[in-house]
Amino acid sequence: MISILEENMFLKLTLAGAALLASVALPATAVNAQTIGFSQIGSESGWRAAETTLTRQQAKDRGIDLKFADAQQKQENQIKALRSFIAQGVDAILLAPVVATGWDQVLEEAKEAEIPVILLDRTVDAPDSLYMTAVTSDLVHEGRVAGEWLAAEVAGKDCKIVELQGTTGSSPAIDRKNGFEQGIADHSNLSIIRSQTGDFTRTKGKEVMESFLKAENGGKDICALYAHNDDMAVGAIQAIKEAGLKPGSDILVVSIDAVPDIFLAMAAGEANATVELTPNMAGPAFDVLEAFAKDGTLPPKWIQTESRLYTAADDPMAVYELKKSLGY
Amino acid sequence: MMNRLHPALRRILPQLITLVVVLGCNVLVFPDFFKIEMSNGRLYGSIIDILNRGAPVALLAIGMTLVIATKGIDLSVGAVMAICGAVAAAAVAGGSDVATAVVLALCAGIVCGLWNGFLVAVLNIQPIVATLILMVAGRGVAQLITEGVILTFTNEGLIFLGSGSLMALPMPFLIWLGFGVMTAIVVRKTALGLLIEAVGINLRASTLSGVRGNVLIVAVYAISGLCAATAGIIVAADIKGADANNAGLWLELDAILAVVIGGTSLLGGRFTLAGSLIGAMIIQSINTGILLSGFPPEFNLIIKAFIILVILIIQSPIVQSVLFAMRMPPDLSNDDAEPVEGGSARDRDASAQKEGMAP
Amino acid sequence: MLLQGRNITKNFPGALALDAVDFNLLPGEVHALLGENGAGKSTLVKCLTGAYRRDSGAIFLDNQPINPRSTLEAQDLGIGTVYQEVNLLPNLTVAENLFLGRQPRRLGLVSTRRMNAGAREILSGYGLKIDVSRELSSYSIAIQQIIAIARAVDLSGKVLILDEPTASLDATEVQMLFSIIRRLRDDGLGIIFISHFLDQVFEICDALTVLRNGRLVGTSKLADTSRLKLVNMMLGRSLEEEIHKEKDRTASVDPVQLQFKNFGRSGHIKAFDLDIRKREIVGVAGLLGSGRTETAEILFGAIGHDSGEALAEGKPLRLTSPRAAVAQGFAFCPEDRKRDGIVADLSVRENIILALQGQRGWLRALSKSEQTAIADGYIASLDIRTPDCEKPVGQLSGGNQQKVILARWLATNPRFLILDEPTRGIDVGAHAEIIRFIEALCDEGMSLLVISSELEELVDYSQRVIVLRDRAHVAELTGDAITTTNIIRAIASDGHEDKVSA
């Protein structure tokens, strides 16, 4: 609750700042300055907090008046926020939907009010005529980037891979598994020998990695670890160290998300690569809106964010500090 | 044969047999299961993993056993783990030494337990509802402490509690074993165990006999909070970070299951700490066995549920009485015969009923 | 004859609950069904309403034989029952409760408007003008009671059975209920009224039937029955039967050990004075609900007292909880052994040392061998029939359970022992033994307070008898005045003047 209060305060300051900017400092840009509503799910994870921070930064940089509403994980709060945005007559709405269903009616209302809606990082089960576009990452692509990196890294040598899956049945787990398999499909020297769920958590990542190490000759048979998120990789790195092996060299470690802690591991040489799930969903959305405001260009219905690969060559400590400043 | 065993051992014999059978199954899916070797000055092997990884549930089961013995239940232990792990992590991150951090975390656990005990004993709220409050709210409290992120730390002293080893054995194992033995000695060498059982069976009669029933109830929830705090410290120390979202998630259910498999009735009364600890090891053996087996993860929960179902069926009174009747040669069957008519007549009735139901 | 039961017999395993009981109810009559606990009142009602299957006998309604197999069937035939704890659904509205299971429907949907109108109409017949769309639980127990009656009458309409309807009502509420009962009676309903309050029986009833130990003691018109006769019927004695036992009634000459001054708790028991000497047995007599158990519980701290003080040899005593009372050397064998006495799954040994251990605290544990020695000692001296001290106490017979509880308290070496119905529900042999123990303990110097409905027994061993009625101490008998006759007189006396003097 403290964090919510802080956020509200931050929000007021930002709004005041933005208003100040718009009305006094930069009267020239006030002509095309927009008011945009942003209905955020909440702040349940570091990534989510970073997304909020980046959205505000982007809005400020572009002179956009951002109206921010934290739904605290409730769809009803999001629907209320959307109606209030419509009533205020904002120029556009960004929506990070907490669930996939139940949006048709409020999206209709926005459409009738001729307010474009852009979905961020998740999609909804509604006709795509009801929103302008959806900005999301491609989970399959993320897995593929990780797989392709590993294939290039081992360069033809035989490599037995163990995989830490996300929560069984969740779409990131399914898609990131498929993507990775696609990424290594053309390389017969790569094979996944064990795959088990680590529930996206450090504790389970560590426990499952311990069992992989036991089951595969004390880990001597394992060449690489692929984890569906960085947290499991961080847990597994500890298990590898405790088993007397060197993560990063004895066993290569590649994972997805690019949370700050994996850059610490990378700086220590204990992790090799991570694929970023960017928290900057708002940037592309604002680009689209600007283009639309300028000459009415309609974007495609899906905008895929960049899935950037980070390795030890990318100055991990600097990335770590940057990420930390975003509120991860 | 069974009568020659020490009564305490006889009581947990079914649990010991179950544990041996589960371990035997693990050998079938993973032949090197019992292999133990020294590595980096510590023992290393699947058995050691079970003793190590079973620590959180074993610790929770100690407190849960006492709570259940008073006819209560503590659903909040998983959330309390998250709170206490967060407290310990926040303390060392704030520059405290490891002793201060541990003491603060244990105090937080006791405070949580006292809160539960207050709701149950003083306000007379049903235990399942009273502890549900903290189960739901506790993670929120933990998240306030960690500010929504995994709060990592590098304090070697605290990390040692989770992944260090002493005499070649992992610390979490030594902690739960020590805690279990200490608790068992305290409840059995003092009158605490007897008074807890009396309160669990008949609170009113115990109170009318001058037993401070409500104080005891508050005390067992406080002990449960202490156990959860210890488990929370271990889990945080293990991953060098406090994960408010996931630490101890659903572990309250594993702890209750451990107590039930261990042979303590959910209706309160007679309890066995040794049985609950073995129950915790049975659950961890199943978990570790599944991980070693290499089965696809989609089957994890089904396999676990099936094994536990089999265990509970075998332990059910009806199956037990049938098995007992089969095991007993007829000439020995009157060894236990009761000279008092009332009791044996009742027993006869009950067994006749069961035999009637069996086919 | 409206409702008639003939030769109704009901056996429970090990007990004959009803033994060929006849019962007759006329239309336009309020008929009291009386008897102590376990006399068979509720068994009879349950047989009449089909809740129990009777073993033999016949039931006639309007002179037609009926055979209800459930309370629902009895209700359809015209027999409705209202229990002490209102058996309605507190979270439904008043109207829904009245029409539950027969809501007026319109196009297949419940018509709330019609239902509420119907409910208002029904209740206006009872002089009740309340908002029928509010939840039942928002009204007092008395209103709920009336709503329950309204529903029962509306559904059945011939016979209304009221099982202790006044138990949780205050005086004005009782009057409100009585005016409704009178009106229903004038409408021709037959009403069976079960109550422990004799004053109320004399106020409202036209006839009465008394049961004792499952047998019919008698039926008579109220006009022909005096209070004295009624109490005699209930307690199963007649004045002629009085046996004058020559007993040594030398009153205790020992000093007063305990004094209770103006001791009481409003709503439970009216404040009383009581002195108890060393080496003295004080008997307590009264009908069920007269405040007997409350007297015991307030002395033992199980109910906190809100007036008065307790003194031991002139020094004040703190009696705020059973634990505090035990610390003062008090002991209490409760009436309901199963609920308040034994800890069923624990062994005889553990049950015997429980109070002693509770007194010592959890840190100073008695060793197993000390426990066994104490338990075996009492098993021998009280002749507790058990194969060994490790048997769960729940498997012993009632008499042996009572002895275990007695042993539990003797182990704490008390100076004041309270026994609530120590001989109820135990076999004849153990019964005599327990009375012997009571007398022996007194001879050893203990003070005892014994509550019993076995008056002869009470007369036998008491040096003084306190008589209770309507939750107040109304008489104290000493010396030769202690006779069953005097006790019954005191219980039965109309008592308004006594109440003042007490």
Side-chain angles (χ1 to χ4, degrees), chain B residues 303-323:
Chain B
I303 297 170
K304 188 174 171 184
F306 178 75
I307 295 172
I308 287 163
L309 181 69
V310 169
I311 293 173
L312 293 180
I313 287 176
I314 291 173
Q315 285 186 4
S316 71
I318 290 176
V319 174
Q320 281 283 303
S321 70
V322 171
L323 287 179

PDB file of all heavy atoms in Angstrom, chain B residues 303-323:
ATOM      1  N   ILE B 303       0.889 -38.001 -10.670  1.00  0.00           N
ATOM      2  CA  ILE B 303       1.648 -39.049  -9.996  1.00  0.00           C
ATOM      3  C   ILE B 303       1.612 -38.832  -8.486  1.00  0.00           C
ATOM      4  O   ILE B 303       1.326 -39.743  -7.709  1.00  0.00           O
ATOM      5  CB  ILE B 303       3.114 -39.060 -10.495  1.00  0.00           C
ATOM      6  CG1 ILE B 303       3.162 -39.396 -11.988  1.00  0.00           C
ATOM      7  CG2 ILE B 303       3.946 -40.051  -9.700  1.00  0.00           C
ATOM      8  CD1 ILE B 303       4.526 -39.201 -12.609  1.00  0.00           C
ATOM      9  N   LYS B 304       1.849 -37.583  -8.063  1.00  0.00           N
ATOM     10  CA  LYS B 304       1.874 -37.282  -6.634  1.00  0.00           C
ATOM     11  C   LYS B 304       0.517 -37.592  -5.994  1.00  0.00           C
ATOM     12  O   LYS B 304       0.439 -38.245  -4.951  1.00  0.00           O
ATOM     13  CB  LYS B 304       2.236 -35.807  -6.440  1.00  0.00           C
ATOM     14  CG  LYS B 304       2.488 -35.422  -5.000  1.00  0.00           C
ATOM     15  CD  LYS B 304       2.988 -33.993  -4.903  1.00  0.00           C
ATOM     16  CE  LYS B 304       3.016 -33.542  -3.451  1.00  0.00           C
ATOM     17  NZ  LYS B 304       3.398 -32.135  -3.304  1.00  0.00           N
ATOM     18  N   ALA B 305      -0.537 -37.141  -6.656  1.00  0.00           N
ATOM     19  CA  ALA B 305      -1.882 -37.364  -6.112  1.00  0.00           C
ATOM     20  C   ALA B 305      -2.173 -38.855  -6.008  1.00  0.00           C
ATOM     21  O   ALA B 305      -2.733 -39.329  -5.010  1.00  0.00           O
ATOM     22  CB  ALA B 305      -2.918 -36.674  -6.994  1.00  0.00           C
ATOM     23  N   PHE B 306      -1.748 -39.599  -7.032  1.00  0.00           N
ATOM     24  CA  PHE B 306      -2.036 -41.035  -7.029  1.00  0.00           C
ATOM     25  C   PHE B 306      -1.316 -41.727  -5.871  1.00  0.00           C
ATOM     26  O   PHE B 306      -1.922 -42.514  -5.141  1.00  0.00           O
ATOM     27  CB  PHE B 306      -1.606 -41.648  -8.373  1.00  0.00           C
ATOM     28  CG  PHE B 306      -1.813 -43.128  -8.434  1.00  0.00           C
ATOM     29  CD1 PHE B 306      -3.088 -43.666  -8.585  1.00  0.00           C
ATOM     30  CD2 PHE B 306      -0.737 -44.000  -8.313  1.00  0.00           C
ATOM     31  CE1 PHE B 306      -3.286 -45.035  -8.621  1.00  0.00           C
ATOM     32  CE2 PHE B 306      -0.932 -45.375  -8.346  1.00  0.00           C
ATOM     33  CZ  PHE B 306      -2.202 -45.885  -8.502  1.00  0.00           C
ATOM     34  N   ILE B 307      -0.028 -41.412  -5.688  1.00  0.00           N
ATOM     35  CA  ILE B 307       0.734 -42.064  -4.617  1.00  0.00           C
ATOM     36  C   ILE B 307       0.122 -41.726  -3.260  1.00  0.00           C
ATOM     37  O   ILE B 307      -0.057 -42.589  -2.401  1.00  0.00           O
ATOM     38  CB  ILE B 307       2.213 -41.626  -4.666  1.00  0.00           C
ATOM     39  CG1 ILE B 307       2.843 -42.126  -5.965  1.00  0.00           C
ATOM     40  CG2 ILE B 307       2.975 -42.170  -3.465  1.00  0.00           C
ATOM     41  CD1 ILE B 307       4.232 -41.609  -6.218  1.00  0.00           C
ATOM     42  N   ILE B 308      -0.241 -40.446  -3.080  1.00  0.00           N
ATOM     43  CA  ILE B 308      -0.804 -40.050  -1.786  1.00  0.00           C
ATOM     44  C   ILE B 308      -2.160 -40.714  -1.567  1.00  0.00           C
ATOM     45  O   ILE B 308      -2.476 -41.147  -0.455  1.00  0.00           O
ATOM     46  CB  ILE B 308      -0.894 -38.518  -1.708  1.00  0.00           C
ATOM     47  CG1 ILE B 308       0.523 -37.974  -1.525  1.00  0.00           C
ATOM     48  CG2 ILE B 308      -1.776 -38.064  -0.570  1.00  0.00           C
ATOM     49  CD1 ILE B 308       0.677 -36.524  -1.814  1.00  0.00           C
ATOM     50  N   LEU B 309      -2.922 -40.833  -2.648  1.00  0.00           N
ATOM     51  CA  LEU B 309      -4.214 -41.521  -2.531  1.00  0.00           C
ATOM     52  C   LEU B 309      -4.000 -42.951  -2.040  1.00  0.00           C
ATOM     53  O   LEU B 309      -4.683 -43.424  -1.127  1.00  0.00           O
ATOM     54  CB  LEU B 309      -4.917 -41.514  -3.891  1.00  0.00           C
ATOM     55  CG  LEU B 309      -6.296 -42.165  -3.923  1.00  0.00           C
ATOM     56  CD1 LEU B 309      -7.273 -41.303  -3.130  1.00  0.00           C
ATOM     57  CD2 LEU B 309      -6.789 -42.338  -5.343  1.00  0.00           C
ATOM     58  N   VAL B 310      -3.006 -43.622  -2.645  1.00  0.00           N
ATOM     59  CA  VAL B 310      -2.733 -45.012  -2.242  1.00  0.00           C
ATOM     60  C   VAL B 310      -2.343 -45.062  -0.768  1.00  0.00           C
ATOM     61  O   VAL B 310      -2.844 -45.878   0.010  1.00  0.00           O
ATOM     62  CB  VAL B 310      -1.621 -45.623  -3.130  1.00  0.00           C
ATOM     63  CG1 VAL B 310      -1.151 -46.950  -2.557  1.00  0.00           C
ATOM     64  CG2 VAL B 310      -2.131 -45.790  -4.546  1.00  0.00           C
ATOM     65  N   ILE B 311      -1.467 -44.124  -0.355  1.00  0.00           N
ATOM     66  CA  ILE B 311      -1.029 -44.116   1.048  1.00  0.00           C
ATOM     67  C   ILE B 311      -2.222 -43.927   1.976  1.00  0.00           C
ATOM     68  O   ILE B 311      -2.387 -44.646   2.963  1.00  0.00           O
ATOM     69  CB  ILE B 311      -0.006 -42.980   1.277  1.00  0.00           C
ATOM     70  CG1 ILE B 311       1.285 -43.280   0.511  1.00  0.00           C
ATOM     71  CG2 ILE B 311       0.296 -42.810   2.762  1.00  0.00           C
ATOM     72  CD1 ILE B 311       2.281 -42.129   0.532  1.00  0.00           C
ATOM     73  N   LEU B 312      -3.087 -42.968   1.641  1.00  0.00           N
ATOM     74  CA  LEU B 312      -4.211 -42.679   2.531  1.00  0.00           C
ATOM     75  C   LEU B 312      -5.208 -43.829   2.555  1.00  0.00           C
ATOM     76  O   LEU B 312      -5.804 -44.126   3.585  1.00  0.00           O
ATOM     77  CB  LEU B 312      -4.899 -41.368   2.113  1.00  0.00           C
ATOM     78  CG  LEU B 312      -4.032 -40.127   2.324  1.00  0.00           C
ATOM     79  CD1 LEU B 312      -4.757 -38.878   1.896  1.00  0.00           C
ATOM     80  CD2 LEU B 312      -3.599 -40.000   3.778  1.00  0.00           C
ATOM     81  N   ILE B 313      -5.375 -44.497   1.407  1.00  0.00           N
ATOM     82  CA  ILE B 313      -6.281 -45.652   1.398  1.00  0.00           C
ATOM     83  C   ILE B 313      -5.723 -46.751   2.295  1.00  0.00           C
ATOM     84  O   ILE B 313      -6.441 -47.335   3.109  1.00  0.00           O
ATOM     85  CB  ILE B 313      -6.485 -46.167  -0.045  1.00  0.00           C
ATOM     86  CG1 ILE B 313      -7.361 -45.194  -0.824  1.00  0.00           C
ATOM     87  CG2 ILE B 313      -7.112 -47.561  -0.040  1.00  0.00           C
ATOM     88  CD1 ILE B 313      -7.537 -45.568  -2.287  1.00  0.00           C
ATOM     89  N   ILE B 314      -4.412 -47.004   2.165  1.00  0.00           N
ATOM     90  CA  ILE B 314      -3.814 -48.050   2.986  1.00  0.00           C
ATOM     91  C   ILE B 314      -3.919 -47.691   4.465  1.00  0.00           C
ATOM     92  O   ILE B 314      -4.105 -48.546   5.318  1.00  0.00           O
ATOM     93  CB  ILE B 314      -2.340 -48.279   2.574  1.00  0.00           C
ATOM     94  CG1 ILE B 314      -2.305 -48.906   1.187  1.00  0.00           C
ATOM     95  CG2 ILE B 314      -1.615 -49.175   3.561  1.00  0.00           C
ATOM     96  CD1 ILE B 314      -0.922 -49.036   0.596  1.00  0.00           C
ATOM     97  N   GLN B 315      -3.825 -46.384   4.770  1.00  0.00           N
ATOM     98  CA  GLN B 315      -3.896 -45.973   6.180  1.00  0.00           C
ATOM     99  C   GLN B 315      -5.324 -45.848   6.704  1.00  0.00           C
ATOM    100  O   GLN B 315      -5.517 -45.637   7.901  1.00  0.00           O
ATOM    101  CB  GLN B 315      -3.190 -44.631   6.360  1.00  0.00           C
ATOM    102  CG  GLN B 315      -1.688 -44.756   6.314  1.00  0.00           C
ATOM    103  CD  GLN B 315      -1.018 -43.438   6.637  1.00  0.00           C
ATOM    104  OE1 GLN B 315      -1.667 -42.472   6.962  1.00  0.00           O
ATOM    105  NE2 GLN B 315       0.295 -43.428   6.542  1.00  0.00           N
ATOM    106  N   SER B 316      -6.321 -45.945   5.827  1.00  0.00           N
ATOM    107  CA  SER B 316      -7.698 -45.742   6.288  1.00  0.00           C
ATOM    108  C   SER B 316      -8.080 -46.855   7.259  1.00  0.00           C
ATOM    109  O   SER B 316      -7.632 -47.989   7.127  1.00  0.00           O
ATOM    110  CB  SER B 316      -8.645 -45.715   5.101  1.00  0.00           C
ATOM    111  OG  SER B 316      -8.748 -47.015   4.562  1.00  0.00           O
ATOM    112  N   PRO B 317      -8.899 -46.519   8.254  1.00  0.00           N
ATOM    113  CA  PRO B 317      -9.239 -47.489   9.295  1.00  0.00           C
ATOM    114  C   PRO B 317      -9.799 -48.786   8.725  1.00  0.00           C
ATOM    115  O   PRO B 317      -9.480 -49.878   9.228  1.00  0.00           O
ATOM    116  CB  PRO B 317     -10.283 -46.761  10.126  1.00  0.00           C
ATOM    117  CG  PRO B 317     -10.112 -45.338   9.815  1.00  0.00           C
ATOM    118  CD  PRO B 317      -9.544 -45.244   8.449  1.00  0.00           C
ATOM    119  N   ILE B 318     -10.613 -48.696   7.673  1.00  0.00           N
ATOM    120  CA  ILE B 318     -11.252 -49.906   7.153  1.00  0.00           C
ATOM    121  C   ILE B 318     -10.206 -50.845   6.572  1.00  0.00           C
ATOM    122  O   ILE B 318     -10.145 -52.025   6.913  1.00  0.00           O
ATOM    123  CB  ILE B 318     -12.315 -49.526   6.098  1.00  0.00           C
ATOM    124  CG1 ILE B 318     -13.491 -48.852   6.803  1.00  0.00           C
ATOM    125  CG2 ILE B 318     -12.779 -50.750   5.325  1.00  0.00           C
ATOM    126  CD1 ILE B 318     -14.569 -48.352   5.882  1.00  0.00           C
ATOM    127  N   VAL B 319      -9.331 -50.295   5.717  1.00  0.00           N
ATOM    128  CA  VAL B 319      -8.297 -51.138   5.122  1.00  0.00           C
ATOM    129  C   VAL B 319      -7.366 -51.663   6.199  1.00  0.00           C
ATOM    130  O   VAL B 319      -6.972 -52.828   6.190  1.00  0.00           O
ATOM    131  CB  VAL B 319      -7.520 -50.342   4.047  1.00  0.00           C
ATOM    132  CG1 VAL B 319      -6.350 -51.156   3.519  1.00  0.00           C
ATOM    133  CG2 VAL B 319      -8.446 -49.957   2.915  1.00  0.00           C
ATOM    134  N   GLN B 320      -7.034 -50.819   7.174  1.00  0.00           N
ATOM    135  CA  GLN B 320      -6.152 -51.252   8.260  1.00  0.00           C
ATOM    136  C   GLN B 320      -6.722 -52.446   8.994  1.00  0.00           C
ATOM    137  O   GLN B 320      -6.027 -53.414   9.269  1.00  0.00           O
ATOM    138  CB  GLN B 320      -5.945 -50.100   9.251  1.00  0.00           C
ATOM    139  CG  GLN B 320      -4.944 -49.061   8.788  1.00  0.00           C
ATOM    140  CD  GLN B 320      -3.506 -49.524   8.943  1.00  0.00           C
ATOM    141  OE1 GLN B 320      -3.074 -49.876  10.029  1.00  0.00           O
ATOM    142  NE2 GLN B 320      -2.781 -49.553   7.840  1.00  0.00           N
ATOM    143  N   SER B 321      -8.039 -52.386   9.285  1.00  0.00           N
ATOM    144  CA  SER B 321      -8.606 -53.482  10.060  1.00  0.00           C
ATOM    145  C   SER B 321      -8.629 -54.762   9.233  1.00  0.00           C
ATOM    146  O   SER B 321      -8.405 -55.849   9.752  1.00  0.00           O
ATOM    147  CB  SER B 321     -10.008 -53.121  10.553  1.00  0.00           C
ATOM    148  OG  SER B 321     -10.892 -53.081   9.459  1.00  0.00           O
ATOM    149  N   VAL B 322      -8.854 -54.616   7.923  1.00  0.00           N
ATOM    150  CA  VAL B 322      -8.832 -55.810   7.064  1.00  0.00           C
ATOM    151  C   VAL B 322      -7.419 -56.387   7.019  1.00  0.00           C
ATOM    152  O   VAL B 322      -7.214 -57.584   7.215  1.00  0.00           O
ATOM    153  CB  VAL B 322      -9.322 -55.460   5.635  1.00  0.00           C
ATOM    154  CG1 VAL B 322      -9.080 -56.630   4.693  1.00  0.00           C
ATOM    155  CG2 VAL B 322     -10.789 -55.089   5.674  1.00  0.00           C
ATOM    156  N   LEU B 323      -6.443 -55.502   6.802  1.00  0.00           N
ATOM    157  CA  LEU B 323      -5.055 -55.970   6.751  1.00  0.00           C
ATOM    158  C   LEU B 323      -4.659 -56.613   8.062  1.00  0.00           C
ATOM    159  O   LEU B 323      -4.017 -57.652   8.104  1.00  0.00           O
ATOM    160  CB  LEU B 323      -4.110 -54.782   6.460  1.00  0.00           C
ATOM    161  CG  LEU B 323      -4.134 -54.232   5.046  1.00  0.00           C
ATOM    162  CD1 LEU B 323      -3.171 -53.068   4.932  1.00  0.00           C
ATOM    163  CD2 LEU B 323      -3.775 -55.319   4.049  1.00  0.00           C
TER     164      LEU B 323
END
